Amino acid sequence: MTFIIDRQADSNALLRQAQALLADCGDAVANAANLASFLFHVLDDVNWVGFYFVSGDELLVGPFQGKPACVRIPLGRGVCGTAAATRTVQRVDDVHAFAGHIACDADTRSEIVLPLVRGTNLLGVLDLDSPRVERFTPDDQAFLEQIAGAYLASLDN
């Protein structure tokens, strides 16, 4: 199944699959690992999907799929650190135009980062990279916000 053919039908089906994948385990790391793998394999034009978790005043790499990643990202730096510090989604059409972008993979051209906030606690971020400029649309953002919500809800299991 690809995400590009019929966005609405595919996003609904993918969301249900992700929810089912996360349903029986409340462990943050196990669910992050499975969700990163799931998204990496079902979404087109992504070269990195993964999680960073808050550790003190920085983000520490968690489960991911793709090339080796930056291990530590200061809060407020780069796309991930900005999403974490501001607690807002960062959808960047061209990472080379983002002031302070941290290049972990030179092939990445666009990125979307979703903060993972539970109550008032920032747990980390969900980060997706693409080798294609303008890969992530507002529809992709809405879908990924639902995915992030499903991940956070799974922690209650």
Side-chain angles (χ1 to χ4, degrees), residues 10-73:
D10 284 348
S11 64
N12 290 337
L14 291 174
L15 178 59
R16 286 191 306 274
Q17 289 176 30
Q19 289 167 328
L21 180 67
L22 302 172
D24 294 329
C25 179
D27 185 82
V29 173
N31 279 350
N34 272 336
L35 189 56
S37 179
F38 174 76
L39 291 171
F40 186 80
H41 287 94
V42 299
L43 298 180
D44 293 332
D45 294 324
V46 295
N47 60 328
W48 200 90
V49 176
F51 290 79
Y52 280 90
F53 294 115
V54 172
S55 176
D57 60 353
E58 62 187 7
L59 296 169
L60 185 62
V61 71
F64 69 90
Q65 295 285 307
K67 291 181 182 176
C70 298
V71 174
R72 298 177 190 280
I73 299 174

Side-chain angles (χ1 to χ4, degrees), residues 62-128:
F64 69 90
Q65 295 285 307
K67 291 181 182 176
C70 298
V71 174
R72 298 177 190 280
I73 299 174
L75 295 178
R77 293 226 24 240
V79 180
C80 289
T82 298
T86 63
R87 296 183 182 203
T88 59
V89 174
Q90 299 294 304
R91 185 167 44 88
V92 179
D93 289 336
D94 184 350
V95 296
H96 297 299
F98 187 92
H101 174 252
I102 300 169
C104 297
D105 180 351
D107 293 335
T108 295
R109 294 299 310 274
S110 62
E111 185 171 6
I112 187 167
V113 182
L114 301 99
L116 300 170
V117 180
R118 190 168 186 211
T120 60
N121 295 325
L122 174 68
L123 303 180
V125 298
L126 170 59
D127 179 20
L128 292 89

